[in-house]
Amino acid sequence: MPSQRKSIIPDDFLWGGAVTSFQTEGAWNEGGKGLSIVDARPIPKGHSDWKVAVDFYHRYKEDIALFKELGFTAYRTSIAWTRIFPDGEGEPNEAGLAFYDAVFDELRANGIEPVITLYHFDLPLALAKTYNGFASRKVVDLFERYARTIFERYRGKVNYWLTFNEQNLVLEQPHLWGAICPEDEDPEAFAYRVCHNVFIAHAKAVKALREIAPEAKIGGMVTYLTTYPATCRPEDALANVQAKELFIDFFFDVFARGAYPRYVTNRLEKKGICLPLEAGDEELLRSQTVDFLSFSYYQSQIVRHQEQDERIIKGLEPNPYLPKTKWGWAIDPIGLRIALKDVYARYEMPIFITENGIGLEEELNEDGTVEDDERIDYLRRHIEQMKMAMEEGVEVIGYLMWGATDLLSSQGEMRKRYGVIFVNRDDENLRDLKRYKKKSFYWFQRVIRTNGEEL
């Protein structure tokens, strides 16, 4: 008999889902938790606040049982800094530490590897008010203390860590790190100051993990936006290169090579922007490179040359050749393959896809089902392209779909559903929060069971 072809996906590949603490946990004022900048965020009309979310805090055992049934071997979530240090400072909160002990123990008891993000846009509100968030080196030091507390507590329970979620958003959105530009400061100089402080915080966390739990792995993460030149004009091609350098390559270069690339330092010198370097910063970055590179991937855009554009990352536009979701995000599975091939060719490091998914409007059928064929098609096509990249030599260590259960979107929308498990609530009515398996649940279960062979 002819031998069966061995799967391109290794047996220890990590299949699972990804969420954040603030989009799932709820229990906003329980267990000693303090307020974060997310809790203070204005709620758009018709959206939800974060007080209950999908109540993972009280239902984690039920949800993890569903994840085991799905076949998950990995589950990514974040730790809420405010559950550990309610005001960002002071003494650790034992109730918060014990909650994550229980979650990680439950995951491991069900054969699921925790993949944990230290920071996912939820700075303690007190640190934003007192220090202007990561604009201050004081907050960098407090982040290091938080990271060390976490690593010491969960050594042996968590083997995969991410420092910051989508760290490349810091240049355009420093407010996600609790930092607001003062009126008397140049916004671009301020953005690079916050960016540098976040790099230092990242490196301090990497150093702490090396000292406390050297057997664990840690990665740097960006949101990967694959970009194409708007036309074949050389000006658009060059603009595309420059946009990618600032939005993607800059961050991976520091994560993987430990230094600011010349295309960034030359740009800053030309603009007269001085980085807030302190003694030891350059050596810290150089010595604390990561074990793997990670990214979220949802869409692609095009880049057009722009002479006048106030954004740091200039010229981004929607791609007119691609279908879009209801929220205007281009659906581009080939863009994922391009991203994987580019990153691996540049760094030859393991890559972990830690977010990929599609938001859809869905309601429960009378028989308790959800026919989400559009999600199945989206995930299938992206996993197919991931496999093609792996066949071409790219080392991918895991694929985490965004969601698992439905969760509030980053803007507080419940109608924008991502999960393969329906949660019975909407934006304004909590209903009963009961969980139901969507059609995609059974599809993804088969994908994992066959290690990606049956799509």
Side-chain angles (χ1 to χ4, degrees):
M1 293 179 61
S3 60
Q4 289 187 335
R5 176 179 175 271
K6 183 175 174 56
S7 172
I8 191 66
I9 299 178
D11 292 340
D12 60 353
F13 193 79
L14 295 170
W15 292 101
V19 301
T20 76
S21 55
F22 76 83
Q23 290 170 274
T24 56
E25 284 178 6
W28 69 287
N29 62 352
E30 296 184 44
K33 181 183 178 297
L35 294 177
S36 76
I37 57 176
V38 172
D39 296 312
R41 185 189 299 170
I43 307 300
K45 186 177 180 180
H47 292 200
S48 174
D49 60 30
W50 314 99
K51 293 182 178 179
V52 176
V54 295
D55 199 31
F56 180 79
Y57 187 86
H58 298 108
R59 299 168 185 253
Y60 69 88
K61 289 189 177 182
E62 173 190 352
D63 286 346
I64 291 171
L66 286 167
F67 303 157
K68 180 181 181 181
E69 183 181 348
L70 255 170
F72 277 9
T73 55
Y75 183 68
R76 176 187 169 213
T77 188
S78 59
I79 291 174
W81 189 343
T82 51
R83 288 204 189 279
I84 312 305
F85 292 97
D87 292 323
E89 303 186 72
E91 295 303 310
N93 171 36
E94 177 58 30
L97 289 165
F99 168 69
Y100 291 111
D101 267 321
V103 170
F104 301 157
D105 287 345
E106 190 72 13
L107 286 167
R108 299 200 71 82
N110 285 277
I112 301 170
E113 192 78 46
V115 179
I116 303 304
T117 311
L118 289 173
Y119 182 83
H120 201 123
F121 307 152
D122 57 348
L123 186 80
L125 183 61
L127 300 187
K129 289 183 174 181
T130 304
Y131 303 111
N132 199 16
F134 277 90
S136 167
R137 289 291 285 243
K138 174 69 173 178
V139 172
V140 172
D141 293 338
L142 291 171
F143 177 80
E144 180 187 12
R145 183 182 179 223
Y146 158 63
R148 287 182 175 275
T149 301
I150 294 303
F151 295 152
E152 288 169 359
R153 179 70 173 228
Y154 304 122
R155 177 179 179 178
K157 293 187 179 184
V158 178
N159 296 316
Y160 291 90
W161 296 94
L162 298 172
T163 50
F164 291 92
N165 181 69
E166 298 179 336
Q167 190 171 327
N168 55 333
L169 293 181
V170 68
L171 282 178
E172 292 287 351
Q173 302 183 63
H175 67 275
L176 295 175
W177 280 261
I180 304 301
C181 184
E183 292 184 2
D184 60 349
E185 189 166 348
D186 174 66
E188 186 167 351
F190 177 78
Y192 276 100
R193 173 156 67 96
V194 179
C195 179
H196 178 73
N197 287 350
V198 173
F199 271 132
I200 296 303
H202 159 86
K204 284 177 177 286
V206 174
K207 183 173 187 290
L209 187 69
R210 300 274 188 261
E211 294 170 356
I212 296 166
E215 70 283 0
K217 305 293 185 184
I218 192 164
M221 183 198 175
V222 305
T223 182
Y224 201 107
L225 184 73
T226 300
T227 57
Y228 311 110
T231 72
C232 54
R233 292 172 60 231
E235 292 86 352
D236 288 343
L238 178 60
N240 182 57
V241 169
Q242 292 171 330
K244 179 176 174 292
E245 282 180 339
L246 285 180
F247 193 57
I248 306 293
D249 299 344
F250 171 25
F251 293 85
F252 279 159
D253 281 355
V254 178
F255 294 154
R257 297 172 176 166
Y260 279 74
R262 287 296 299 271
Y263 55 80
V264 170
T265 56
N266 286 358
R267 172 190 173 91
L268 296 180
E269 289 172 10
K270 184 177 179 180
K271 288 175 168 285
I273 296 174
C274 295
L275 290 172
L277 287 167
E278 295 188 6
D281 280 3
E282 291 175 300
E283 172 56 28
L284 178 68
L285 292 175
R286 187 163 47 249
S287 63
Q288 302 305 325
T289 54
V290 296
D291 299 302
F292 61 90
L293 297 173
S294 169
F295 60 75
S296 63
Y297 177 81
Y298 293 97
Q299 63 167 322
S300 63
Q301 290 190 335
I302 62 173
V303 179
R304 192 181 307 276
H305 172 69
Q306 301 280 355
E307 288 291 348
Q308 299 296 325
D309 191 330
E310 294 182 357
R311 298 175 296 176
I312 296 173
I313 314 300
K314 298 179 180 180
L316 298 178
E317 297 178 9
N319 189 331
Y321 296 101
L322 293 172
K324 296 177 177 59
T325 71
K326 182 169 182 175
W327 283 267
W329 291 20
I331 299 173
D332 182 9
I334 293 175
L336 173 59
R337 184 175 167 193
I338 291 169
L340 289 168
K341 287 173 64 64
D342 178 78
V343 173
Y344 195 72
R346 190 176 176 97
Y347 304 103
E348 293 190 342
M349 294 184 68
I351 301 171
F352 200 163
I353 302 170
T354 48
E355 289 182 34
N356 176 236
I358 184 171
L360 300 172
E361 279 194 309
E362 299 163 328
E363 276 298 338
L364 199 63
N365 297 327
E366 290 185 3
D367 61 356
T369 63
V370 177
E371 299 289 323
D372 57 339
D373 292 305
E374 190 174 351
R375 174 170 295 105
I376 292 171
D377 182 65
Y378 179 98
L379 296 175
R380 174 192 292 118
R381 292 168 62 203
H382 283 78
I383 293 171
E384 284 174 345
Q385 293 294 326
M386 176 191 76
K387 289 177 63 179
M388 290 179 189
M390 295 174 77
E391 288 171 351
E392 293 167 329
V394 178
E395 182 183 1
V396 184
I397 61 174
Y399 173 89
L400 307 182
M401 60 158 292
W402 179 246
T405 63
D406 288 336
L407 71 170
L408 288 173
S409 79
S410 59
Q411 302 303 313
E413 289 180 284
M414 197 63 204
R415 70 189 183 100
K416 188 180 185 183
R417 296 178 180 270
Y418 280 94
V420 296
I421 299 167
F422 185 91
V423 177
N424 190 32
R425 65 156 292 182
D426 61 22
D427 287 307
E428 298 176 344
N429 186 344
L430 291 176
R431 300 178 184 168
D432 59 8
L433 293 167
K434 188 175 177 180
R435 276 58 167 157
Y436 295 87
K437 302 168 193 174
K438 301 179 187 180
K439 184 176 181 179
S440 59
F441 179 101
Y442 300 102
W443 174 83
F444 199 38
Q445 182 186 57
R446 185 175 67 254
V447 171
I448 297 172
R449 186 177 64 246
T450 63
N451 202 25
E453 285 300 292
E454 292 187 21
L455 297 176

